[in-house]
Amino acid sequence: MNQLLLGIGLRDSESFANFYPAQNEQVLQGLQQTDEAFIYLWGSSGCGKTHLLQAMCRQLAERGQTVAYLPLAEEGMMPQMLEGMETMSLLAIDDLDQIAGNAEWEAALFHLYNRIRDAGGRLLVAARVGPAALPVQLRDLASRLSYGLTLQMHEPVDEEKLKLLQLRAANRGFDLPHEVANYLLKRCERDMTSLIGLLERLDSATLQAQRKLTIPFVKSLLS
């Protein structure tokens, strides 16, 4: 797989194969089947936007195409990082909300959009709100963001969260009993980002303690 720019790699766990779509089946199909040059993906935090951005990058990179993934919520991100990105087959920009209202960032993104269009590349962006609700001040950029394909993601309901957690656990090579998954939903932060982070911690803890994942064991860890 091609080395990504800026040393920002893709998580091994993020692919189309292990994405549980729940109510987002049409979004998944849209990403996999379209050749649209510009795609705007939006939905609440924890609904799977980052997973799909990285999955898209992974799929194209495995086909030998050049890709880059830029999470704007990470520290150290600067508008200058967009220079030359039009050479990528696909540029995926996460957390677009972070730069809305920043004049320097907005200008840099506007010019990048035009360069990508002229070069025949593809741009995939993700934000928590749709393009019309994004507080962008540069009108030309706002109009560009309304072009192309817009896909809205929906947060999974509790039963879907249970299945998603169990799928994640299976992909990591351990069993997550239904009663344990249900306990996590009732006693911990319920957004998927927090739940998946907790699942990764539990996986490491069970390996270290050489124990199965049970409710008493989870209780001891959370306390």
Side-chain angles (χ1 to χ4, degrees):
M1 184 177 295
N2 295 331
Q3 181 68 31
L4 297 183
L5 297 181
L6 310 176
I8 301 171
L10 302 181
R11 302 173 190 166
D12 292 337
S13 59
E14 315 293 42
S15 69
F16 284 130
N18 62 19
F19 179 75
Y20 181 69
Q23 303 176 63
N24 297 305
E25 184 65 42
Q26 290 186 335
V27 175
L28 180 61
Q29 292 178 0
L31 283 176
Q32 291 179 299
Q33 297 174 5
T34 186
D35 291 324
E36 186 68 50
F38 176 69
I39 304 174
Y40 188 111
L41 188 65
W42 71 277
S44 61
S45 177
C47 66
K49 300 187 300 296
T50 294
H51 189 134
L52 289 182
L53 260 65
Q54 294 206 6
M56 189 75 167
C57 287
R58 181 175 299 281
Q59 178 174 274
L60 295 184
E62 288 174 347
R63 295 174 180 173
Q65 299 187 39
T66 55
V67 302
Y69 168 74
L70 296 181
L72 300 186
E74 295 284 338
E75 291 187 11
M77 289 290 163
M78 299 177 292
Q80 291 77 11
M81 291 178 175
L82 300 182
E83 296 178 4
M85 287 293 184
E86 66 275 8
T87 62
M88 297 291 106
S89 301
L90 172 71
L91 172 61
I93 299 180
D94 210 349
D95 312 306
L96 191 62
D97 322 72
Q98 296 291 319
I99 59 91
N102 183 306
E104 186 178 6
W105 265 108
E106 289 187 5
L109 186 58
F110 168 72
H111 292 301
L112 173 66
Y113 182 104
N114 292 334
R115 295 197 306 271
I116 290 177
R117 179 194 58 195
D118 294 341
R122 301 180 69 188
L123 177 62
L124 171 61
V125 303
R128 294 186 182 183
V129 297
L134 195 70
V136 170
Q137 302 301 310
L138 184 60
R139 294 180 62 183
D140 286 339
L141 175 60
S143 66
R144 295 295 191 277
L145 294 177
S146 65
Y147 296 164
L149 178 64
T150 298
L151 299 171
Q152 180 183 2
M153 297 192 67
H154 301 280
E155 185 176 359
V157 297
D158 283 358
E159 188 59 34
E160 293 167 342
K161 289 180 180 180
L162 287 173
K163 293 179 180 179
L164 195 154
L165 287 173
Q166 290 178 313
L167 176 63
R168 282 287 186 135
N171 289 333
R172 294 180 69 90
F174 72 99
D175 179 56
L176 177 63
H178 186 276
E179 63 272 15
V180 177
N182 194 48
Y183 178 85
L184 295 177
L185 274 180
K186 290 181 177 179
R187 301 300 180 92
C188 304
E189 294 185 45
R190 298 169 57 80
D191 67 280
M192 287 309 305
T193 301
S194 299
L195 287 169
I196 290 173
L198 176 58
L199 190 68
E200 293 174 352
R201 287 168 45 206
L202 293 175
D203 182 21
S204 299
T206 54
L207 287 174
Q208 185 175 3
Q210 292 295 299
R211 291 182 56 181
K212 292 184 178 180
L213 200 54
T214 63
I215 290 179
F217 184 56
V218 171
K219 284 182 178 179
S220 66
L221 291 173
L222 295 180
S223 61

